[in-house]
């Protein structure tokens, strides 16, 4: 229960810090300073930990982000509910860069404590964020398939949290950093690494899966 409360508090702090109104607790998507939904490099909306189809149907951005998952009447009756940026400008000047950092560069295998090499890579990201008017940094932790689902989910969350803690220590505002853990659900290696028995060969093969995706979004 404490974990759920802490997770919800993090999302609310993020939304409040990027200019959202007092009804932030009713939103289930991250919103930037322009009033637009924060999206990944592939165009997917960023959901908070309390997203459900029912909650999305009540969110103004629900039809924009997850129309296929909502009841037909939710979007058919209220097409005007989609969120529109408060400033009627194009995306000219909006910059976004997705940086994938191998977890082995950030952490030792099966660990969530930053290594010196990892800190150096994060310093580069801090420099990039200071070169623009930062809106949000998205940090998503991933693991390989070795170990159980629950364990890897927690490990991916701890890795993302460690990245945020370091970025904040270097001057990035805490409410600009949004973290998420995907566990082992989004591997890059596919079925190229054979076997399930933990061995050095398998660990080395699965290295691309152990990563942190960091996306820096802002305006010039």
């Amino acid at each position: 229960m404490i974990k759920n409360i802490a997770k919800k508090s993090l999302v609310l702090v993020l939304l409040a810090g990027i200019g959202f109104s007092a009804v932030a607790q009713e939103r289930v998507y991250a919103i930037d300073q322009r009033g637009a939904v924060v999206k990944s490099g592939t165009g997917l909306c960023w959901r908070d930990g309390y997203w459900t189809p029912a909650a999305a149907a009540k969110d103004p951005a629900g039809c924009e982000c997850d129309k296929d998952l909502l009841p037909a009447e939710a979007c058919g009756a209220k097409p005007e509910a989609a969120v529109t940026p408060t400033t009627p400008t194009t995306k000219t000047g909006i910059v976004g860069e997705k940086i994938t950092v191998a977890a082995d560069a950030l952490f030792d295998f099966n660990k969530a404590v930053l290594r010196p090499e990892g800190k150096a890579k994060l310093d580069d990201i801090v420099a990039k964020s200071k070169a623009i008017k930062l809106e949000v940094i998205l940090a998503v932790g991933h693991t390989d398939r070795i170990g159980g689902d629950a364990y890897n989910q927690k490990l991916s969350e701890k890795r993302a949290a460690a990245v945020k803690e370091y970025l904040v220590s270097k001057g990035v505002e805490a409410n600009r950093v949004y973290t998420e853990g995907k566990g082992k659900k989004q591997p890059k290696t596919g079925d190229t690494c054979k076997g399930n028995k933990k061995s050095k060969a398998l660990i080395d093969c699965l290295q691309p899966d152990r990563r942190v995706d960091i996306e820096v979004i802002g305006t010039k």
Side-chain angles (χ1 to χ4, degrees):
M1 180 176 180
I2 294 176
K3 180 181 177 182
N4 288 340
I5 293 173
K7 185 175 182 180
K8 187 172 183 180
S9 297
L10 171 62
V11 174
L12 294 182
V13 169
L14 170 68
L15 294 175
I18 52 181
F20 200 69
S21 69
V23 297
Q25 68 272 17
E26 298 178 4
R27 303 306 300 269
V28 291
Y29 301 99
I31 307 297
D32 66 19
Q33 287 183 319
R34 298 169 294 123
V37 178
V38 176
K39 296 183 179 181
S40 69
T42 57
L44 298 177
C45 297
W46 280 80
R47 305 167 177 169
D48 72 17
Y50 288 82
W51 181 96
T52 64
K58 298 178 182 179
D59 191 294
C63 293
E64 174 188 355
C65 297
D66 293 299
K67 183 177 181 180
D68 294 341
L69 300 178
L70 304 185
E73 61 272 16
C75 296
K78 299 179 179 180
E80 73 282 0
V83 169
T84 301
T86 54
T87 304
T89 60
T90 65
K91 289 189 176 181
T92 302
I94 303 298
V95 295
E97 181 175 0
K98 187 172 185 178
I99 305 161
T100 297
V101 184
D104 282 3
L106 294 170
F107 315 97
D108 290 324
F109 173 69
N110 202 32
K111 302 293 184 181
V113 178
L114 284 170
R115 300 172 61 186
E117 302 95 313
K119 292 179 180 180
K121 290 183 177 294
L122 293 180
D123 287 340
D124 291 338
I125 292 174
V126 171
K128 290 179 183 293
S129 72
K130 291 182 177 179
I132 61 175
K133 183 178 179 181
L134 180 65
E135 291 188 356
V136 67
I137 294 178
L138 311 172
V140 183
H142 302 269
T143 70
D144 59 34
R145 70 170 185 261
I146 298 174
D149 292 346
Y151 180 84
N152 279 306
Q153 178 62 34
K154 290 181 180 179
L155 179 59
S156 67
E157 292 172 0
K158 288 179 180 179
R159 285 176 168 171
V163 167
K164 174 176 180 175
E165 182 178 356
Y166 185 79
L167 294 177
V168 172
S169 75
K170 291 297 180 176
V172 178
E173 295 179 49
N175 55 16
R176 300 289 181 189
V177 187
Y178 182 80
T179 65
E180 185 175 358
K182 292 292 187 180
K184 58 181 182 180
K185 295 191 290 291
Q186 296 181 352
K188 284 191 170 184
T189 56
D191 58 359
T192 59
C193 301
K194 305 301 181 182
N196 293 308
K197 184 178 180 180
K198 185 169 68 174
S199 64
K200 185 178 185 305
L202 181 59
I203 290 173
D204 290 344
C205 183
L206 295 175
Q207 189 277 331
D209 296 338
R210 300 188 296 271
R211 67 195 191 278
V212 177
D213 293 334
I214 302 173
E215 192 165 1
V216 181
I217 300 173
T219 56
K220 288 186 177 180

